[in-house]
Amino acid sequence: MGKTRRWDGEAETEADERFFDLRESGYKGPIDQDGHRVDDLEMWMDERRPR
């Protein structure tokens, strides 16, 4: 098994890689389920809120 930063030792997905890379770069803001930074959290939530 290759090197992983996941707590469970499983292989990292692309989303995992993005998540850990953001955190290791010092980013402390919100990150979505796909590992992308969320710059405008209110807008992000509004786009996903059921109507």
Side-chain angles (χ1 to χ4, degrees):
M1 183 182 299
K3 183 178 173 189
T4 184
R5 296 171 282 187
R6 287 177 49 140
W7 67 271
D8 59 3
E10 293 293 320
E12 292 180 13
T13 65
E14 289 181 16
D16 292 333
E17 289 179 26
R18 287 188 292 268
F19 172 85
F20 290 118
D21 289 347
L22 280 171
R23 289 294 183 233
E24 288 177 357
S25 74
Y27 180 71
K28 295 183 185 203
I31 299 174
D32 72 9
Q33 70 279 1
D34 297 318
H36 298 285
R37 67 185 289 157
V38 176
D39 293 317
D40 187 338
L41 184 57
E42 291 295 322
M43 184 176 74
W44 184 87
M45 289 188 309
D46 285 344
E47 290 172 349
R48 285 151 184 79
R49 189 171 287 131
R51 306 222 181 251

